[in-house]
């Protein structure tokens, strides 16, 4: 059974449903993103198999698809700048060695993605083999059921409807295959009508069974839900010092930090502002030894246009008022991003149907979001004076609330003592909180500490996250640096909090609305964390300990000192160590715009990112249309052939026209037997169509074949015979 008919297409579609059930839990139970890329790969592989494309073309198309998306996920250069292939090949060879050494935790993310593609490739081949060669699908169907039921029992995955889908698809496939096995065993001729007679009661039985199973009463479970117990066991047991993946872009769960940061260049939002800003999302105030959690929750509702209920910049600090416009790529983002010094959120589009209310958790300072396409933010940029920053030298109950102070200096009881000892050594010569914070911030610029997103340890059950970074690994990314600074300052009584959000992103273009503003693109790779230190007379002051980043705040040092940085943003985004500063010259109206390929490439990627769902749907519709046209090619292909040869005049045309006719007759179902002569085949065709035209045309073709020439005007006479035969093949 290897026909390209509708029953075979139905089998492939049901096989895809079963394969998809293996991918659905991956997106929900792991931090894997872009799952739609792997779903489309399944569709593409099954379509190529159904169309019986030659294996070499299938290999080229699938390999190209895999390499394109590996490049898109992990590499920044252009796809056609093949230098990235060298890096990927080196990484591939290295990971092969890790596999032979059974170092599974050391495999890179690029290689893991490649292995997933290969696994799906093999599964598609097995589906093809089981459906069309063996005509047995029970083993795969049974394995799929076990897979989703185990996940439903022992994980948070809800597989109620997945089981129904699997049962319906599996029994339908087995029913169709049983029909074809019976036809083959009994050696009888099947017809579309006989298959329909078989399918109607089969589908009716499956439908009734599913309906009865859904509405029938169920007995209570004999065992309690194992998911809470497994979660508790996981939290209580350490994961060792492996370096398994921990972060993919921005995440909200920070109770267990560590492990590599997986790159994700997906755009989160674009911002229209006068300069780059750090965009806050939330803060955390309780350090557990493994990560950060909030100390409770205090939600407050406020209206769009009202003052945002955050700890504002004191009135004693000079401020500059600014505005920015945010354009979320996904209008269902669960949070509002805002800069330090936020005052109001305005002009949300579309308007919230619930009286334009926003909800903010003031403990974390996180603002929940409804579906938004864009919004405006009014905010203040503080201009600090160095003498004011240095005023605080110790805790004063008159300037800081006791409970507030205790909350933001809280530390785990089992925090290693050497963290405090190190901090005291670093700050021994400093007399005020600000200078002590600057000393700790500068400490991480030492050569022994390095910025690394991949080779990052995951603390074991007996390890403290900060202690491990400070004294053992000394290698990590923003979470390691910022957590360490916040904890270190707390050990000497300085209140701090851990802040999460995004850096300023990359410059895209100048604003078309306001000449003084620019458009910046912020991706998941810009996810970042930093530190804020509380100074009673200054409020929360940002610090940037991560190596390779800078804290560009405005500080007036007076006549005795000069500011290291004096930029108009608080804080402005610094480039990662591997990046070069982006030159962003202002364009005047008189300057001529030149073609920027990189900008065009960024816009193209942004377009594909924002419209992938519609493009996938269009691709599916186009694929279905192509398959339909292929299916009914007998109705339109003959007309195309007639049009192709209608205006040809040369007598030599008979050579290609005759071979085209043989191909069309073969497609029509009149196959030429092996070693059958042309004259014998022509007699068979004439007998089938009750004519003598094929024999006459074959005689003309043989004359040309043996003599390589024909009398002038021969094709004009033979064309009528050829056209009549082509018309007879119109289905």
């Amino acid at each position: 059974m290897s026909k390209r008919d509708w029953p075979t297409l139905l089998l492939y579609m049901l096989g895809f449903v079963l394969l998809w059930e293996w991918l659905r839990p991956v997106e929900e139970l792991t931090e894997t993103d872009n799952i739609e890329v792997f779903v489309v790969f399944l569709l593409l592989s099954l379509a190529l198999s159904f169309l019986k494309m030659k294996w070499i073309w299938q290999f080229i198309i699938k390999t190209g698809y895999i390499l394109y998306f590996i490049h898109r996920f992990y590499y920044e250069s252009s796809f056609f700048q093949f230098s990235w292939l060298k890096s990927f090949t080196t990484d591939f060879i290295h990971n092969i060695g890790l596999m032979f050494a059974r170092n599974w935790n050391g495999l890179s993310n690029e290689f893991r993605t490649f292995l997933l593609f290969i696994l799906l490739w093999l599964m598609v081949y097995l589906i093809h083999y089981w459906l069309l060669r063996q005509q047995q699908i029970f083993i795969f169907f049974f394995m799929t059921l076990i897979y989703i039921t185990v996940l439903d029992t022992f994980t948070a995955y809800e597989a109620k409807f997945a089981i129904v889908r699997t049962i319906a698809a599996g029994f339908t496939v087995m029913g169709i295959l049983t029909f074809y096995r019976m036809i083959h065993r009994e050696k009888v001729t099947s017809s579309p009508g006989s298959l329909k007679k078989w399918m109607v009661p089969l589908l009716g039985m499956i439908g009734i069974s599913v309906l009865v199973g859904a509405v029938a009463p169920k007995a209570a479970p004999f065992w309690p839900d194992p998911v809470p117990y497994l979660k508790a066991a996981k939290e209580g047991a350490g994961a060792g010092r492996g370096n398994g993946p921990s972060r993919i872009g921005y995440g909200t769960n920070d109770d267990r930090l560590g492990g590599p940061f997986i790159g994700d260049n997906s755009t989160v939002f674009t911002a229209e502002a006068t300069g780059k800003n750090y965009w806050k999302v939330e803060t955390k105030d309780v350090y557990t030894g493994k990560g950060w959690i909030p100390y409770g929750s205090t939600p407050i509702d406020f209206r769009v246009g009202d003052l945002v209920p955050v700890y504002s910049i004191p009135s004693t600090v000079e401020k500059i008022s600014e505005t920015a416009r945010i354009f979320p790529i996904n209008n269902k983002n669960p949070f509002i991003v805002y800069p330090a010094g936020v005052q109001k959120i305005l002009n949300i589009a579309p308007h919230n149907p619930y009286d334009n209310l926003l909800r903010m958790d003031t403990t974390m300072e996180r603002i929940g979001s409804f579906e938004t396409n864009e919004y405006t933010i009014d905010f203040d940029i503080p201009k600090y004076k160095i003498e004011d920053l240095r005023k605080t030298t110790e805790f004063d109950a008159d300037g800081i609330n006791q409970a507030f102070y205790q909350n933001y200096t809280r530390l785990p009881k089992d925090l290693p003592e050497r963290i405090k000892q190190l901090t005291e050594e670093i700050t021994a010569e400093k007399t005020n909180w600000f200078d002590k914070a600057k000393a700790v911030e500068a400490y991480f610029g030492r050569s022994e500490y390095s910025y690394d997103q991949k080779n990052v340890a995951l603390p074991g059950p007996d390890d403290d996250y900060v202690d491990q970074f400070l004294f053992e690994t000394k290698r990590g990314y923003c979470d390691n640096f910022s957590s360490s600074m916040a904890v270190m300052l707390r050990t000497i009584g300085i209140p701090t909090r851990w802040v999460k959000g995004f850096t300023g992103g990359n410059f895209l273009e100048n604003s078309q609305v306001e000449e003084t503003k620019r458009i910046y693109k912020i991706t998941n790779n810009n996810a970042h964390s930093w530190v804020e230190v509380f100074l009673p007379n200054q409020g929360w002051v940002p610090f940037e300990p991560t190596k390779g980043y800078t804290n560009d705040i405005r500080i007036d040092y007076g006549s005795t000192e000069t500011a290291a940085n004096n930029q108009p943003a608080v804080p402005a985004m610094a480039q990662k160590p591997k990046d070069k500063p982006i030159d962003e010259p202002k364009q005047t109206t008189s300057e001529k715009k030149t073609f920027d390929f990189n900008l065009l490439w960024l816009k193209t990627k942004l377009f594909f990112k924002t419209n992938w769902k519609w493009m996938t749907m269009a691709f599916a519709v186009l694929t279905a249309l192509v398959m339909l046209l292929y299916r009914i090619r007998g109705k339109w292909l003959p007309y195309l052939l007639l049009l192709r040869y209608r205006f040809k005049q040369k007598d030599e045309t008979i050579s290609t026209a005759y071979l085209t006719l043989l191909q069309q007759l073969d497609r029509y179902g009149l196959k030429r037997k092996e070693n059958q002569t042309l004259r014998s085949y022509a007699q068979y065709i004439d007998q089938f169509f009750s004519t003598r035209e094929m024999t006459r045309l074959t005689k003309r073709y043989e004359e040309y074949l043996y003599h390589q020439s024909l009398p002038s005007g021969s094709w004009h006479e033979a064309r009528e015979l050829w056209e009549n035969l082509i018309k007879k093949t119109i289905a």
Side-chain angles (χ1 to χ4, degrees):
M1 176 186 154
S2 59
K3 298 180 180 179
R4 286 175 285 188
D5 51 16
W6 288 110
T8 306
L9 177 60
L10 178 61
L11 286 174
Y12 271 95
M13 293 171 64
L14 294 172
F16 167 74
V17 172
L18 294 177
L19 284 174
W20 196 0
E21 295 301 336
W22 288 79
L23 280 178
R24 288 177 186 269
V26 174
E27 186 174 23
E28 184 172 333
L29 298 178
T30 71
E31 294 183 322
T32 304
D33 202 357
N34 300 301
I35 201 70
E36 66 276 0
V37 170
F38 302 100
V39 175
V40 173
F41 180 76
L42 285 178
L43 285 170
L44 175 66
S45 301
L46 288 169
L48 295 176
S49 179
F50 172 77
L51 295 174
K52 296 195 293 187
M53 185 174 289
K54 290 185 178 180
W55 71 268
I56 184 64
W57 291 113
Q58 290 194 42
F59 179 84
I60 292 174
I61 293 173
K62 293 177 187 178
T63 303
Y65 185 97
I66 292 172
L67 292 177
Y68 172 79
F69 280 100
I70 288 179
H71 167 269
R72 177 182 174 184
F73 291 158
Y74 302 106
Y75 297 93
E76 295 291 339
S77 61
S78 171
F79 178 77
F80 297 102
Q81 293 177 357
F82 295 110
S83 57
W84 70 271
L85 271 176
K86 182 178 180 181
S87 299
F88 175 69
T89 303
T90 303
D91 181 78
F92 182 89
I93 296 173
H94 174 68
N95 280 273
I96 293 295
L98 293 177
M99 288 183 63
F100 281 107
R102 292 180 292 181
N103 182 9
W104 311 114
N105 290 329
L107 299 179
S108 68
N109 298 311
E110 298 93 319
F111 191 73
R112 293 170 191 264
T113 302
F114 175 80
L115 290 181
L116 179 56
F117 274 119
I118 297 301
L119 175 62
L120 296 178
W121 192 332
L122 293 175
M123 293 180 72
V124 169
Y125 172 78
L126 289 175
I127 284 290
H128 171 79
Y129 178 79
W130 284 326
L131 290 178
L132 303 185
R133 301 286 181 85
Q134 293 292 102
Q135 296 186 357
Q136 295 280 356
I137 200 67
F138 176 77
I139 294 178
F140 182 74
F141 169 51
F142 185 68
M143 290 169 59
T144 305
L145 270 181
I146 293 177
Y147 170 72
I148 59 178
T149 51
V150 168
L151 291 181
D152 181 70
T153 303
F154 295 102
T155 72
Y157 180 63
E158 177 59 54
K160 177 180 178 181
F161 295 104
I163 294 174
V164 173
R165 290 191 299 265
T166 303
I167 290 291
F171 277 109
T172 303
V173 171
M174 289 196 298
I176 296 175
L177 294 180
T178 300
F179 172 82
Y180 281 110
R181 286 200 305 272
M182 292 174 58
I183 292 297
H184 180 73
R185 184 173 62 250
E186 300 298 332
K187 298 181 180 179
V188 297
T189 304
S190 64
S191 65
S194 59
L195 180 59
K196 290 180 180 178
K197 292 179 181 179
W198 177 271
M199 290 297 297
V200 169
L202 173 65
L203 295 178
M205 180 195 70
I206 294 174
I208 293 174
S209 300
V210 171
L211 181 62
V212 171
V215 301
K218 282 89 174 171
F222 293 101
W223 297 332
D225 186 359
V227 174
Y229 296 98
L230 293 175
K231 285 185 176 179
K234 180 180 178 181
E235 293 172 357
R241 286 176 177 250
N243 57 348
S246 176
R247 298 281 176 192
I248 306 178
Y250 188 90
T252 57
N253 185 2
D254 306 299
D255 59 359
R256 184 169 177 80
L257 300 178
F261 182 94
I262 302 173
D264 179 10
N265 202 34
S266 303
T267 303
V268 181
F269 63 95
T270 58
E272 182 185 66
T274 55
K276 292 184 178 181
N277 298 277
Y278 273 13
W279 303 99
K280 295 174 63 173
V281 175
E282 61 185 344
T283 67
K284 301 286 177 69
D285 53 0
V286 178
Y287 176 69
T288 64
K290 293 293 188 291
W292 293 87
I293 60 175
Y295 183 66
S297 177
T298 52
I300 293 179
D301 293 336
F302 67 99
R303 294 182 184 277
V304 173
D306 292 347
L307 287 174
V308 179
V310 298
Y311 197 102
S312 60
I313 302 171
S315 58
T316 55
V317 178
E318 185 181 352
K319 297 176 282 290
I320 301 175
S321 297
E322 290 283 354
T323 62
R325 193 75 174 156
I326 305 300
F327 302 89
I329 297 303
N330 180 358
N331 65 353
K332 295 184 180 181
N333 277 339
F335 45 75
I336 295 282
V337 297
Y338 59 92
V342 61
Q343 296 295 303
K344 296 180 180 180
I345 298 174
L346 306 165
N347 304 327
I348 289 183
H351 293 299
N352 183 1
Y354 304 105
D355 299 325
N356 278 340
L357 283 178
L358 293 172
R359 171 160 291 189
M360 180 174 197
D361 188 330
T362 56
T363 300
M364 295 188 293
E365 294 192 351
R366 182 170 67 190
I367 305 174
S369 170
F370 47 86
E371 295 186 11
T372 59
N373 293 327
E374 56 182 282
Y375 51 91
T376 300
I377 296 176
D378 285 352
F379 62 100
D380 291 335
I381 298 176
K383 296 176 64 177
Y384 299 103
K385 294 181 179 179
I386 190 61
E387 59 269 20
D388 293 334
L389 291 170
R390 288 172 170 166
K391 282 183 179 180
T392 306
T393 58
E394 61 183 4
F395 168 68
D396 183 0
D398 294 334
I400 305 179
N401 178 274
Q402 180 72 32
F404 177 91
Y405 178 77
Q406 291 179 352
N407 183 56
Y408 287 102
T409 54
R410 180 192 295 111
L411 290 169
K413 294 180 180 179
D414 57 351
L415 186 75
E417 183 65 25
R418 59 180 177 173
I419 297 177
K420 182 179 180 180
Q421 295 172 356
L422 174 64
T423 310
E424 290 175 339
E425 291 176 9
I426 296 171
T427 62
E429 298 180 359
K430 308 302 179 182
T431 59
N432 61 81
W433 284 5
F434 176 76
D435 285 341
K436 289 182 179 182
K438 292 297 290 183
V440 173
E441 181 186 53
Y443 172 76
F444 293 104
R446 297 172 58 167
S447 59
E448 58 190 289
Y449 290 96
S450 59
Y451 182 92
D452 192 341
Q453 292 184 345
K454 291 188 176 182
N455 188 21
V456 183
L458 185 67
D462 299 325
D463 294 321
D464 180 271
Y465 176 69
V466 168
D467 182 80
Q468 182 188 64
F469 171 71
L470 287 175
F471 300 102
E472 297 180 21
T473 64
K474 299 183 179 182
R475 178 185 296 273
Y477 47 91
C478 58
D479 289 350
N480 300 90
F481 288 92
S482 57
S483 296
S484 297
M485 178 176 178
V487 170
M488 291 171 72
L489 291 178
R490 287 188 176 191
T491 63
I492 58 174
I494 299 178
T496 62
R497 65 182 182 182
W498 190 63
V499 189
K500 288 182 57 187
F502 297 87
T503 55
N506 291 326
F507 170 76
L508 277 181
E509 59 184 348
N510 290 317
S511 172
Q512 303 298 319
V513 180
E514 298 184 51
E515 293 183 358
T516 60
K517 293 187 176 181
R518 301 174 179 180
I519 307 296
Y520 299 91
K521 183 184 75 166
I522 293 85
T523 71
N524 267 319
N525 284 336
N526 295 117
H528 191 57
S529 61
W530 60 97
V531 181
E532 287 183 348
V533 176
F534 186 78
L535 302 177
N537 61 334
Q538 303 294 293
W540 289 105
V541 180
F543 287 82
E544 179 55 272
T546 303
K547 194 166 188 176
Y549 291 72
T550 58
N551 183 17
D552 294 334
I553 63 175
R554 281 177 170 260
I555 300 178
D556 182 3
Y557 286 86
S559 59
T560 57
E561 300 181 55
T562 58
N565 299 289
N566 190 23
Q567 300 297 327
V570 181
M573 187 265 185
Q575 301 300 319
K576 294 182 182 179
K578 64 181 180 180
D579 296 334
K580 295 181 179 179
I582 298 177
D583 184 18
E584 302 173 6
K586 291 186 177 179
Q587 289 184 344
T588 64
T589 55
S590 61
E591 289 179 340
K592 293 183 178 180
K593 293 184 178 180
T594 58
F595 177 75
D596 190 339
F597 180 78
N598 291 331
L599 179 58
L600 177 62
W601 177 244
L602 284 174
K603 290 183 176 180
T604 303
K605 291 198 295 184
L606 182 60
F607 173 80
F608 278 94
K609 181 63 179 178
T610 55
N611 297 281
W612 70 266
K613 291 184 179 179
W614 290 106
M615 295 180 67
T616 301
M617 185 179 299
F619 176 78
V621 172
L622 181 62
T623 302
L625 180 61
V626 170
M627 294 175 66
L628 176 62
L629 290 175
Y630 182 82
R631 173 64 177 157
I632 62 172
R633 64 190 183 282
K635 298 182 180 298
W636 58 267
L637 185 58
Y639 293 105
L640 186 63
L641 296 175
L642 290 172
L643 181 63
R644 176 185 175 185
Y645 288 94
R646 174 62 56 88
F647 302 104
K648 293 189 176 184
Q649 303 295 331
K650 294 182 178 180
D651 294 322
E652 293 81 1
T653 303
I654 192 173
S655 175
T656 58
Y658 188 85
L659 296 177
T660 300
L661 175 61
L662 293 181
Q663 294 176 355
Q664 178 60 16
L665 290 171
D666 183 80
R667 282 191 290 264
Y668 184 73
L670 300 175
K671 297 183 180 296
R672 180 185 174 190
K673 296 179 181 178
E674 189 176 358
N675 298 323
Q676 187 177 16
T677 64
L678 288 177
R679 291 190 180 186
S680 174
Y681 180 64
Q683 293 174 0
Y684 167 68
I685 298 299
D686 286 338
Q687 184 179 3
F688 183 86
F689 289 121
S690 300
T691 181
R692 294 282 299 168
E693 293 171 329
M694 187 63 180
T695 299
R696 293 166 58 190
L697 183 64
T698 301
K699 183 178 179 181
R700 285 288 186 183
Y701 174 71
E702 289 180 337
E703 289 179 9
Y704 173 79
L705 196 63
Y706 296 138
H707 301 288
Q708 293 297 309
S709 64
L710 287 173
S712 179
S714 295
W715 166 241
H716 180 74
E717 178 185 348
R719 184 176 64 193
E720 183 177 356
L721 300 173
W722 181 86
E723 289 181 348
N724 290 338
L725 289 167
I726 288 290
K727 291 176 182 178
K728 293 179 186 297
T729 64
I730 298 177

